[in-house]
Amino acid sequence: MTAKLLTSKPGGFRAGGIVTHENKLLLMHVVRAGENPEEFYMLPGGHHEEGETLKEACVREIEEEFGITVTPEELEFVVVGTRRVAFYFRCKYNGGEIKLGGPEKIEHDSDSPDNIYVEWVDLVELNELPIGPVETKEALLKYLIDKNYIEKN
């Protein structure tokens, strides 16, 4: 079953985390300049590498990109996209100061006109933010409402 799923999804698997702390959510904020400017936020996470579990991928990606340590707990939702399947775990924040790292830091520090930031965002602001992809934002808001982190609008 896994082999069939991977061949039908060329982007493979993504493992991501829902990290909350003091009524804030950890997000990556991307501001693309140039011919097609855009601005969006995304949950921490990234590509699953061969030989690691989804939870291990989640921990590795958050540590690489955000500089903090987390403990993944429950799988809260799955988003099936056209290119890949994304698994999102509720994560316990273990500490550390957030700072951009990994390939995103290299891109940010290069001559690229794009800017990438890591931020704690107030939960009450999430509904108004351009969180992508849309299916992830919908699943995230449903999760936060169901778990009483935020109220339904």
Side-chain angles (χ1 to χ4, degrees):
M1 178 66 167
T2 300
K4 183 174 182 152
L5 182 60
L6 282 176
T7 57
S8 69
K9 300 294 182 189
F13 296 129
R14 181 179 202 273
I18 306 160
V19 185
T20 58
H21 180 64
E22 297 177 350
N23 293 316
K24 296 179 187 280
L25 178 70
L26 186 62
L27 292 173
M28 184 170 286
H29 181 187
V30 180
V31 181
R32 301 241 187 257
E35 289 182 27
N36 299 308
E38 66 177 329
E39 180 176 0
F40 60 92
Y41 292 79
M42 54 193 283
L43 286 169
H47 195 74
H48 166 265
E49 294 180 359
E50 189 173 335
E52 68 183 352
T53 67
L54 290 169
K55 284 186 174 182
E56 289 168 342
C58 178
V59 169
R60 176 184 51 76
E61 286 287 344
I62 292 173
E63 189 170 354
E64 282 176 7
E65 296 174 0
F66 291 81
I68 63 168
T69 58
V70 298
T71 303
E73 295 175 337
E74 297 297 316
L75 175 66
E76 296 296 348
F77 57 88
V78 177
V79 177
V80 180
T82 55
R83 294 201 36 81
R84 72 169 130 184
V85 179
F87 297 84
Y88 291 96
F89 296 90
R90 177 174 30 91
C91 293
K92 178 183 173 208
Y93 171 60
N94 295 330
E97 186 174 329
I98 61 170
K99 62 183 181 298
L100 183 64
E104 290 78 10
K105 179 167 178 29
I106 294 169
E107 180 182 343
H108 180 79
D109 292 347
S110 72
D111 291 338
S112 170
D114 300 340
N115 288 298
I116 304 172
Y117 310 97
V118 292
E119 303 174 6
W120 289 109
V121 177
D122 284 322
L123 292 171
V124 295
E125 297 175 13
L126 296 178
N127 199 40
E128 304 304 317
L129 295 179
I131 298 172
V134 171
E135 299 84 2
T136 300
K137 180 177 182 177
E138 291 170 354
L140 173 64
L141 291 175
K142 181 180 182 329
Y143 161 77
L144 293 170
I145 291 166
D146 289 350
K147 299 293 182 178
N148 295 315
Y149 283 101
I150 61 174
E151 293 182 15
K152 187 174 183 174
N153 287 343

